[in-house]
Amino acid sequence: MKDLIKIAEDMKFVNKNLYKVFYPYVVKNPLRIPDYIKIANNFERCEKIREDYLKKGIMIPPILILSITSKCNLKCKGCFAYENGNISKSIVEDLSFDQWKKIVKEANEIGVFCFFLAGGEPLLLDNLFQLCKEFPRNIFVLFSNGTLFNDEIIKEVSKYPNFVSLLSIEGDEQITDFRRGKGTFKKVIENLKIFEKKKIISGISVTVTRSNFKFWMNEENIDYFIDNGIKICVLTEYIPEKPDDDTAFAMLLKEEREEFRNKVLKFKETKKMLIIHSPGDEELFGGCVSAGRGFAHVTPYGDLTPCPIANIATHNLKNSTLLEALKSDLFEKIRSEESLLEKSEGPCALFEKYKEVEELRKRVGAYRTGNY
């Protein structure tokens, strides 16, 4: 019982809805309680390590976003990863699995607890699940288009209590298939139902645009996914690479963003679902949490960038340690020049301040990533 109380307290500390959604899951899977205890212990260890580094003036994020491959089997309309140069634009080879493993190992040692596996399509990386096996006390969250799961992969996924699958969806079948291709919606829903049956922690990831934000404000639509066993919903507002991009029209207008945020806040309080809204939830932290405040991002080619949006870097982890890169002038100045990260009217502080970020990039000698 003490162990269960400890897990519950850790969940409440991170997020009260995390406890509300996942504690019942833990109780229903008693054979995995020893694994959850080890994960909870590592969470506390990582917290302590980050605190110790902060006393030395070094900020280590709890989360590292890994764009773990530039390969993808889909060609979704308005794909940000493609526009940003993280998908199939480079003649430079992706990092190998061993290089990714080295990054995760160092990250864990300096206090990073959770890893977001993005891409491209992460399932196209050979040996992906070996990371979950070799680092069983860290959490790995997969952001996948959901079309490549088969019986073999699902069997593998079910082995790891430290693995969470988030599948991309845009709305109903018509909305999803329009952006991602015919048959995508049915495949994703089918896999989510299998995950629920096999007790695999899973959820959905949504790119919110002017075309679908009304769908996600409809309570009946939220209830549909809850009724189908969805426990997590990540809502990420669409951001073009540059303010003057052709795709900028898809970004929510100020009044639409406010309307959407109010509805999301209501759902957060009333629905049995862990709803994460980016960038809306960043207001709890006083602004953007990139550049190590909450997370940092590694491109498929090893560049450490402040976030997936700001494609600038001074260090590549092929020839630099993660700690050295996190201590860079680029990250330090983004955090110290508070106006860069403070809350803005748009979906992203660094996007809104594109000119200022570009000036900073030149000042610290940073390079643009993704267009090798």
Side-chain angles (χ1 to χ4, degrees):
M1 180 57 71
K2 281 185 179 180
D3 292 335
L4 283 174
I5 292 173
K6 173 175 169 34
I7 293 171
E9 288 176 346
D10 281 340
M11 285 184 178
K12 286 181 178 178
F13 174 75
V14 177
N15 186 299
K16 67 178 182 180
N17 286 326
L18 189 67
Y19 164 80
K20 187 168 64 176
V21 171
F22 290 111
Y23 186 65
Y25 174 88
V26 172
V27 173
K28 291 177 184 177
N29 291 270
L31 294 178
R32 284 191 158 172
I33 288 177
D35 295 313
Y36 298 135
I37 292 168
K38 291 175 182 176
I39 291 171
N41 287 338
N42 191 43
F43 170 80
E44 293 180 353
R45 180 193 71 88
C46 288
E47 285 276 302
K48 177 65 167 59
I49 291 173
R50 293 198 303 275
E51 288 173 4
D52 289 344
Y53 270 112
L54 194 57
K55 290 174 183 176
K56 302 174 187 176
I58 304 169
M59 186 167 284
I60 307 294
I63 297 170
L64 198 59
I65 303 170
L66 310 179
S67 287
I68 209 156
T69 178
S70 66
K71 300 174 184 175
C72 189
N73 62 310
L74 296 184
K75 293 183 179 180
C76 302
K77 292 180 173 66
C79 173
F80 180 82
Y82 178 80
E83 296 300 328
N84 208 24
N86 283 344
I87 292 183
S88 303
K89 277 191 173 182
S90 176
I91 59 173
V92 177
E93 287 188 6
D94 290 4
L95 296 182
S96 67
F97 173 80
D98 287 341
Q99 288 172 313
W100 283 117
K101 186 171 74 171
K102 182 181 178 182
I103 290 169
V104 172
K105 182 177 184 294
E106 185 196 351
N108 178 55
E109 289 171 351
I110 64 174
V112 177
F113 173 69
C114 182
F115 299 88
F116 288 179
L117 307 176
E121 170 49 53
L123 292 181
L124 289 174
L125 177 72
D126 292 338
N127 301 317
L128 176 68
F129 301 109
Q130 191 67 20
L131 291 174
C132 305
K133 183 178 181 179
E134 297 202 22
F135 303 95
R137 301 185 182 188
N138 292 92
I139 295 293
F140 293 88
V141 181
L142 173 76
F143 287 81
S144 168
N145 62 45
T147 63
L148 295 180
F149 282 95
N150 54 35
D151 292 343
E152 183 181 352
I153 293 176
I154 291 172
K155 182 179 180 181
E156 185 71 14
V157 168
S158 65
K159 296 177 183 178
Y160 304 110
N162 61 330
F163 189 77
V164 179
S165 297
L166 299 182
L167 307 191
S168 296
I169 207 160
E170 305 301 328
D172 59 17
E173 184 172 6
Q174 181 180 359
I175 297 172
T176 299
D177 287 3
F178 175 77
R179 184 177 187 219
R180 297 186 170 271
K182 188 175 181 180
T184 302
F185 179 84
K186 286 183 178 179
K187 181 67 174 175
V188 168
I189 294 299
E190 174 187 319
N191 284 327
L192 287 169
K193 288 180 177 179
I194 294 173
F195 291 163
E196 171 67 9
K197 184 178 180 180
K198 293 186 176 293
K199 298 180 180 179
I200 296 170
I201 300 177
S202 61
I204 55 177
S205 174
V206 181
T207 301
V208 180
T209 68
R210 299 192 69 195
S211 299
N212 69 352
F213 81 102
K214 289 286 187 181
F215 178 93
W216 294 102
M217 290 174 60
N218 187 318
E219 189 168 0
E220 291 182 2
N221 293 332
I222 296 294
D223 289 341
Y224 166 81
F225 289 100
I226 293 174
D227 292 342
N228 277 277
I230 307 305
K231 296 176 175 63
I232 314 171
C233 178
V234 178
L235 301 165
T236 304
E237 292 182 31
Y238 178 77
I239 304 170
E241 185 186 2
K242 297 178 183 178
D244 57 354
D245 275 0
D246 292 340
T247 56
F249 71 90
M251 187 172 61
L252 298 187
L253 301 177
K254 179 184 176 182
E255 57 273 18
E256 293 170 336
R257 185 171 296 110
E258 291 174 353
E259 182 185 12
F260 183 72
R261 179 61 179 168
N262 289 334
K263 185 65 73 171
V264 168
L265 289 173
K266 178 184 176 182
F267 289 156
K268 277 174 169 282
E269 293 297 323
T270 59
K271 299 299 178 182
K272 275 197 169 182
M273 175 187 271
L274 175 62
I275 298 176
I276 300 170
H277 177 205
S278 176
D281 290 350
E282 291 179 350
E283 64 191 28
L284 301 173
F285 303 95
C288 178
V289 291
S290 68
R293 287 187 71 212
F295 59 78
H297 168 249
V298 186
T299 73
Y301 321 111
D303 309 294
L304 187 77
T305 71
C307 70
I309 305 299
N311 58 337
I312 54 176
T314 54
H315 289 70
N316 186 288
L317 301 187
K318 291 177 182 176
N319 45 45
S320 166
T321 68
L322 176 62
L323 184 59
E324 287 171 345
L326 289 170
K327 291 164 62 178
S328 69
D329 285 346
L330 174 64
F331 276 45
E332 191 279 326
K333 289 188 181 300
I334 287 176
R335 293 194 302 265
S336 62
E337 297 182 18
E338 295 180 0
S339 62
L340 288 178
L341 296 180
E342 66 186 13
K343 188 177 182 300
S344 62
E345 292 185 355
C348 170
L350 293 180
F351 169 80
E352 287 283 303
K353 301 173 180 68
Y354 181 85
K355 291 182 179 180
E356 291 92 329
V357 172
E358 180 63 9
E359 290 173 2
L360 173 62
R361 179 188 73 80
K362 294 175 181 177
R363 216 161 64 227
V364 299
Y367 58 89
R368 289 211 163 274
T369 67
N371 295 311
Y372 296 98

